Every structure is written in C-alpha cells, then in structure tokens.
C-alpha cells in the first residue's frame, strides 16, 4: 500500500485491528507493546478513526425522558454537595499564577475517591450473640467521599453515627428517612454536624420492618418527602 | 485561556454557544449546567449506541446513565488533545455496554477500563477526526454494507457484539489469523471511504 514503514513490518502488527475493535483478549500486552512501537501506534491511531465512526452507523433512537431526568437530578445534587464541600478551599487566597489547577486537581482526586467509595457497598458487622448490638455500615454517596456513617442498633434502639460529613449549606439540614413498603417516610430526626463533620443522631423507634434508612439534605425544618438524592443509605435487613 | 470558573451559574443560553471542549473544562469544575448542555448534545447518540449493543432498552438506559455519570465524575480526566468529547463519551458508552452485555449472560465477563479505552481511541489528527464524525450516518451505513459480508461480520461481532477474535474464530469456524485479517481489510476499506468524506467535508 505504501513504501513508508508500516505496522506490517512489525511482528505484532496483526493485533492492531482486533485491538481497536476491542477484540484482543490480551489487550494489556499489546498496549504495552504500543508504548515502544511507533509503527503500531500510528496504525492504531489510523484504524481508531474508523472505529470512532462506527457509532454513527447505528439506527438513531431518542434517549428516554426519564433517563434524562435521572441523570440530571443526580448531577445537580452532587454539584450542590460538592460546592458545599469545596467552599472553604475556594475561600483560601490563591496565588495569581495558577489559580485553578490546585483546586481542579483536588477536586478530581476527591471525585476519583468518590467513585470508589460508592462501590464499597454495605457491610454488616454482627457482634455475635452475646451483645445485642448490631452495627451496619452505610453506603455513602459519591458526592461526599470523606464521609462515614453507621447505624448502631441496641435492643431495638437505633443510633446513627456520622463523621466526615460536609456542613449542610446555609438554610439546610440533614434529614433521616425510613423506607418501608416501597414508601419513603420522613422521621423527626433532623441534624447538623459538628465543625469536624460528626454527629450522633437518635433514630426514632419504628426501625422494625423498615427496609432502608436514608439521609438527604433538606431545607431547614425538614421536608415531607425527599427533595434530593440520598447521601447515606443503610440497608436494614430483618 | 480560561480554565476553571467558580463564578455562579452562567445562563444556559451562553453555555449553548460553547464548544464541547470548553464545556468539559466547566464540567471538571462541577458545573452542572455545562454538563446538561453536553448531555443534551450527546444523549441520543449515546443511547442509540448502547441500545444497539445491549438490545434491551432497560439495560441501555442503565449503561447510558452510568456512562454520563462517569463523564461527570471524571470530567477532569478529559484531555482534548486526545480526541473529541463525543468520541470520548461514546468510548465510555461502548466500553460499559459491552461490559453489561457480558455480565448479563452470554458472554464471559471482560473488563477493560475506561482509561485504556481512551488510549485506544487516541487520534492525533483532529481535523480528520472531526470530518469523519460529521460524515452522515447513512454514508457510514452504506460503506459498511459495501464491505464483503465476511469482513462486515467480524467487525460487527467484535465492536457491537463484544466478542474477542478467539470467540469469533470458534463461532465461525475460521482460523484466528483469518479473523484478524478480515478485521484489518474491512477497517482499511472503511478508512478509504472516510477519506472521501473528509475531502467532501473539508
């Protein structure tokens, strides 16, 4: 095809096409090879242009409206929380040289951590038969990566312990909800956090039969149904 | 060059005038309005791709949602030198759709991280890439259909089906070397067509 050096001159050249199509079982090896082989790199860049055009060949389908609503609601609530959480950092005077990068990097780091935190899932610690205490770790929203929460249940009495939570924004407060029979019911547990982000909140009786405990940020005085995505979720297995 | 703006929300009309790359700088700074504009521009094509791969609306919805939330949360990792926002987004959608497909049953689970994929879709010639992106979908469809059936088949099985060359080889009863060769020939022929479109688009 061409007299220029080409990936066909490389013994790994036959892997370029399967690689760009995502069909190489040992892609990691080839990726390593790419690092040291300009011929294959050029080949891959060229073939990738074609692969990038393939999505345009699929029949066009309109994205469902409920998908749009779900995504934008999640993003808006995370943006609100992040703004609240990063405000003190923003207030710190910055040198005029590179104002944005420090924050940008910190933000990116927080988000990366957030994604991992969100995957952590629910862990149940059972203290065994002697103590009637049960501690359930919470799932934390990606928007508040540094936060921890757990629910201690001692003989039917519940206590929510949180730490590392950002302050609720001004005019807002955290509210505890219980999910039962597919409904999200408000409780009278409203709380703020200490300057270090911790709080211990008595959870009202009525945990029995509830499936999940949620915490959201609500306007002062609380709401009768949640207005934002849950920040904390604790599964209450029977 | 403006980087991160911490000023309060800009009116959405202003944001709509910005290029994707500029919007992504704001997304990296947690600007939900900027994200919304990016989402609106690419949600349909993203969902269409997810649906083509997954074949089920519910799964395609989950995949598209996951992909856009990943874009939102990792916006700071977007690097304009390595390709357009659209290509990056579709790369994430493709990756996650194949993953979901494999998880959902037929396929054995395979995980390729989004980072590696970004590398796959690296494209140094931006103008080239843009011209190709704007090539009408009808033209890409007809180019695909102009390929010899056995070349189109291996490309579709790999890209839309998420099968490896080994799997395709045993499905079709064709040696792996032949499968790889057909992939390359097919892509090269498509590349020829794309060159034409580029000339037209330029």
């Amino acid at each position: 095809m061409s007299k220029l050096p080409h990936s066909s001159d490389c013994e790994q050249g036959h892997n370029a096409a399967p690689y760009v199509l995502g069909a190489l079982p040992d892609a990691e090896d080839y990726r390593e090879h790419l690092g040291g082989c300009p011929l294959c790199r050029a080949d891959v860049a060229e073939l990738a242009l074609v692969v990038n055009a393939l999505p345009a060949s699929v029949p066009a389908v309109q994205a469902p409206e409920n998908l749009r609503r779900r995504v934008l609601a999640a993003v808006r609530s995370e943006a609100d929380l992040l703004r609240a959480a990063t405000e003190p950092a923003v207030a710190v005077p910055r040198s005029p040289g590179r104002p944005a990068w420090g924050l940008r990097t910190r933000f990116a780091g927080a988000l990366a951590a957030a994604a991992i935190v969100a995957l952590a899932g629910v862990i149940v610690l059972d203290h065994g038969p002697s103590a009637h205490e049960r501690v359930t770790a919470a799932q934390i929203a990606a928007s508040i990566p540094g936060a921890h929460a757990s629910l201690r249940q001692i003989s039917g009495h519940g206590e929510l312990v949180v730490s590392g939570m950002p302050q609720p924004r001004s005019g807002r407060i955290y509210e505890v909800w219980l999910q039962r029979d597919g409904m999200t019911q408000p409780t009278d547990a409203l709380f703020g956090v200490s300057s270090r982000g911790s709080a211990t909140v008595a959870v009202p009786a009525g945990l029995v039969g509830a499936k999940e405990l949620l915490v959201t940020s609500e306007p002062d005085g609380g709401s009768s149904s949640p207005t934002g995505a849950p920040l904390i979720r604790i599964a209450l297995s029977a | 060059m403006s980087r991160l703006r911490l000023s309060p929300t800009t009116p959405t009309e202003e944001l709509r005038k910005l290029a994707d790359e500029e919007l992504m700088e704001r997304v990296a700074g947690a600007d939900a309005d900027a994200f919304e504009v990016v989402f609106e521009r690419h949600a349909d094509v993203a969902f269409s791709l997810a649906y083509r791969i997954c074949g089920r609306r519910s799964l395609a919805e989950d995949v598209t949602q996951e992909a856009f939330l990943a874009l939102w949360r990792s916006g700071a990792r977007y690097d304009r030198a390595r390709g357009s926002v659209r290509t990056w987004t579709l790369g994430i959608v493709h990756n996650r759709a194949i993953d979901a497909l494999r998880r959902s049953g037929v396929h054995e689970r395979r995980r390729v991280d989004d980072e590696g994929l970004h590398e796959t879709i690296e494209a140094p010639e931006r103008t080239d890439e843009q011209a190709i992106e704007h090539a009408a979908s009808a033209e890409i469809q007809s180019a695909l259909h102009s390929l010899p059936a056995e070349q189109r088949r291996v490309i579709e099985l790999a890209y839309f089906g998420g099968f490896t060359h080994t799997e395709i080889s045993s499905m079709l009863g064709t040696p792996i070397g032949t499968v790889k060769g057909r992939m390359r020939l097919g892509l090269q022929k498509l590349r020829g067509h794309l060159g034409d479109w580029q000339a037209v688009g330029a």
Side-chain angles (χ1 to χ4, degrees):
Chain A
M1 238 175 133
S2 130
K3 288 181 200 113
L4 295 168
H6 188 262
S7 72
S8 57
D9 299 331
C10 170
E11 58 173 15
Q12 287 282 314
H14 57 98
N15 282 329
Y19 176 73
V20 294
L21 286 166
L24 208 56
D26 36 15
E28 203 49 57
D29 293 347
Y30 187 67
R31 203 172 290 145
E32 227 165 82
H33 168 75
L34 281 178
C37 178
L39 295 181
C40 279
R41 231 169 23 237
D43 199 24
V44 160
E46 184 79 6
L47 294 175
L49 291 174
V50 183
V51 172
N52 292 344
L54 290 178
S57 73
V58 309
V61 190
Q62 206 175 359
E65 182 55 29
N66 59 359
L67 167 69
R68 183 178 181 279
R69 274 200 303 270
R70 277 204 310 273
V71 170
L72 295 179
V75 164
R76 295 227 170 264
S77 88
E78 288 184 18
D80 284 352
L81 277 147
L82 272 159
R83 201 172 305 131
T86 52
E87 254 158 22
V90 176
V92 173
R94 288 178 263 130
S95 68
R98 10 185 325 216
W101 285 103
L103 177 62
R104 193 181 160 94
T105 309
R106 206 156 49 236
F107 181 85
L111 283 179
I116 293 158
V117 171
L119 291 173
V122 177
I123 305 153
V124 177
L125 306 168
D126 204 323
H127 286 205
S130 58
H132 299 283
E133 179 182 354
R134 187 182 167 85
V135 180
T136 313
Q139 217 172 350
I140 304 293
S143 50
I144 49 168
H148 294 278
S150 59
L151 179 70
R152 304 159 68 94
Q153 285 170 273
I154 308 159
S155 334
H157 170 77
E159 208 173 49
L160 174 69
V161 182
V162 303
S163 60
M165 288 277 282
Q167 294 290 331
R169 275 187 300 147
S170 110
R172 297 186 74 90
I173 194 158
Y174 293 122
E175 181 165 355
V176 179
W177 307 84
L178 290 173
Q179 225 164 25
R180 193 194 307 270
D181 305 323
M183 307 217 316
T184 305
Q185 303 168 335
T187 67
D188 53 12
L190 301 173
F191 65 99
V193 294
S194 73
S195 58
R196 284 167 49 227
S198 55
T200 302
V201 188
V203 178
L207 284 171
V208 178
K211 215 173 142 235
E212 208 173 19
L213 181 150
L214 309 173
V215 174
T216 62
S217 160
E218 298 296 339
D220 257 340
S223 308
S224 54
S225 59
T227 59
L231 303 171
I232 293 173
R233 312 182 80 112
I234 298 178
L236 304 168
S237 47
Chain B
M1 186 163 43
S2 77
R3 277 291 171 194
L4 180 69
R5 301 239 180 99
L6 294 164
S7 54
T9 43
T10 317
T12 312
E13 277 318 305
E14 287 301 307
L15 288 173
R16 284 186 207 291
K17 294 178 193 156
L18 296 181
D20 281 352
E21 290 73 15
E22 294 169 298
L23 290 167
M24 284 307 292
E25 288 178 5
R26 289 162 180 251
V27 169
D31 181 336
D33 290 332
F35 173 85
E36 184 169 344
V37 177
V38 173
F39 180 82
E40 279 168 5
R41 281 184 194 163
H42 305 294
D44 286 347
V45 65
F47 182 70
S48 302
L49 176 62
Y51 186 50
R52 168 70 175 83
I53 292 170
C54 299
R56 289 198 341 242
R57 282 185 80 86
S58 56
L59 198 52
E61 280 188 34
D62 289 349
V63 162
T64 311
Q65 173 170 348
E66 248 187 73
F68 274 104
L69 290 179
L71 179 142
W72 160 250
R73 289 169 190 155
S74 64
R77 289 215 321 254
Y78 171 70
D79 176 0
R80 64 164 79 195
R82 302 171 80 180
S84 69
V85 173
R86 181 184 138 113
T87 298
W88 191 55
T89 307
L90 292 177
I92 296 173
V93 170
H94 178 263
N95 205 22
R96 285 171 189 255
I98 296 295
D99 215 31
L101 188 66
R102 288 188 158 253
R103 242 187 350 246
S104 71
V106 203
H107 295 284
E108 155 201 338
R109 190 177 148 81
R110 180 189 61 169
R111 177 88 190 129
V112 184
D113 64 25
D114 293 339
E115 200 72 59
L117 188 110
H118 196 195
E119 204 175 290
T120 310
I121 60 181
E122 175 177 2
E125 302 155 288
R126 285 303 311 288
T127 50
D128 219 12
E129 184 189 14
Q130 278 165 340
I132 288 166
E133 280 180 2
H134 292 132
S137 87
E139 286 177 274
I140 292 170
Q141 273 170 26
S142 82
L144 258 180
H145 285 271
S146 72
L147 292 182
E150 72 272 12
Q151 291 173 15
R152 189 173 87 230
R153 183 118 179 90
V154 295
I155 288 173
E156 288 183 342
L157 282 172
Y159 186 76
F160 295 116
F163 294 101
T164 64
H165 63 46
T166 322
E167 290 165 327
I168 296 171
S169 158
S170 57
M171 280 160 80
L172 302 180
T174 311
I176 289 179
T178 310
V179 170
K180 290 180 174 181
R182 287 175 182 171
M183 287 175 172
R184 168 172 288 280
L185 281 174
L187 290 178
Q188 276 173 341
K189 264 180 215 163
L190 288 174
R191 181 70 186 96
H193 287 285
L194 297 174
D196 295 345
W197 302 335
Q198 186 197 342
V200 172

